[in-house]
Amino acid sequence: MRVFRPILAGATLRDRAFACLGALGGMGLVGFVSHWLIGADKAAHLVLIGSIGASAVLVFAVPASPLAQPWPVLGGNVVSGLVGVVVAHTIPDPMIGAAVAVGVAIAAMSLLGCLHPPGGGTALTPVLVGPSIGWMFPLAPVALNAVLLIGAAWLFHRLARHAYPHRAETVAPGPLAISEADIDAALAELHEPLDVSRDDLKAVAVLAARHAASRRKS
């Protein structure tokens, strides 16, 4: 049964239940308002992008993730949508276009500091639809969906007493003077990018050292 254990450190059943409720309400709001503003006569992919569902998983299930913050949600989706539209109008082969769109989208998001995994899906959508997608796609529905989702997440987490956008907890210095340089050195040894901010890593390290020191004293 180990494979069914939660993979997120600190996740509880309550957190997962709240994430489900948040996604239910948030996606309902995004869909209803987008449908109302864009128009009921529009095709489904011009009202609601599939990748916004993946964005909802991040903002409601892992709101502390750097990838789930407002700028990555908005900027990552919009930039990727623009890349996808450009590729759809310049590369006729959708298979080649798909590879180019996702690769360029990752590069663009990285350079602009808004890396967001669902952006890959946002870039892919215009390529699969073709040039008929139109140049307004990055604004409506992409930007509209993203703004509505961010607003819903902000309201939901406020009601649930979670901070969104996420702010790292300020932790008093522990028995070991752990600095950001120590965190960077540890990350360099791991040779793996982690989906957590340096400030959160530092807070966890300080608290863990404090608990270890308390255990030694007892």
Side-chain angles (χ1 to χ4, degrees):
M1 297 296 292
R2 289 172 60 88
V3 296
F4 297 106
R5 292 173 59 184
I7 61 174
L8 297 176
T12 65
L13 182 60
R14 178 181 179 274
D15 291 330
R16 297 290 74 82
F18 268 85
C20 294
L21 291 175
L24 176 65
M27 285 303 300
L29 176 69
V30 172
F32 177 79
V33 176
S34 297
H35 187 265
W36 175 58
L37 290 176
I38 295 176
D41 59 328
K42 299 294 185 181
H45 65 270
L46 295 178
V47 174
L48 194 65
I49 55 172
S51 53
I52 204 68
S55 296
V57 173
L58 287 172
V59 300
F60 291 111
V62 281
S65 167
L67 306 176
Q69 302 314 299
W71 171 235
V73 175
L74 177 60
N77 276 308
V78 171
V79 168
S80 297
L82 179 59
V83 169
V85 171
V86 171
V87 171
H89 282 81
T90 55
I91 301 178
D93 187 318
M95 298 302 107
I96 297 176
V100 172
V102 174
V104 173
I106 292 174
M109 289 187 287
S110 298
L111 289 172
L112 294 173
C114 56
L115 188 64
H116 188 59
T122 306
L124 195 59
T125 300
V127 177
L128 299 180
V129 174
S132 63
I133 193 77
W135 289 97
M136 287 298 293
F137 176 77
L139 295 179
V142 175
L144 176 61
N145 286 179
V147 168
L148 290 171
L149 184 67
I150 292 167
W154 177 84
L155 178 61
F156 175 79
H157 287 300
R158 190 174 180 85
L159 294 175
R161 300 182 183 277
H162 284 167
Y164 184 82
H166 174 68
R167 296 184 299 274
E169 293 288 338
T170 301
V171 178
L176 298 177
I178 297 174
S179 67
E180 289 190 7
D182 296 322
I183 299 298
D184 288 337
L187 288 172
E189 285 188 40
L190 286 176
H191 302 293
E192 293 287 349
L194 301 178
D195 185 14
V196 60
S197 70
R198 283 175 171 78
D199 289 338
D200 284 332
L201 283 173
K202 181 180 178 182
V204 170
V206 169
L207 290 172
R210 184 181 300 167
H211 284 291
S214 176
R215 186 177 66 252
R216 286 195 296 270
K217 290 179 181 179
S218 61

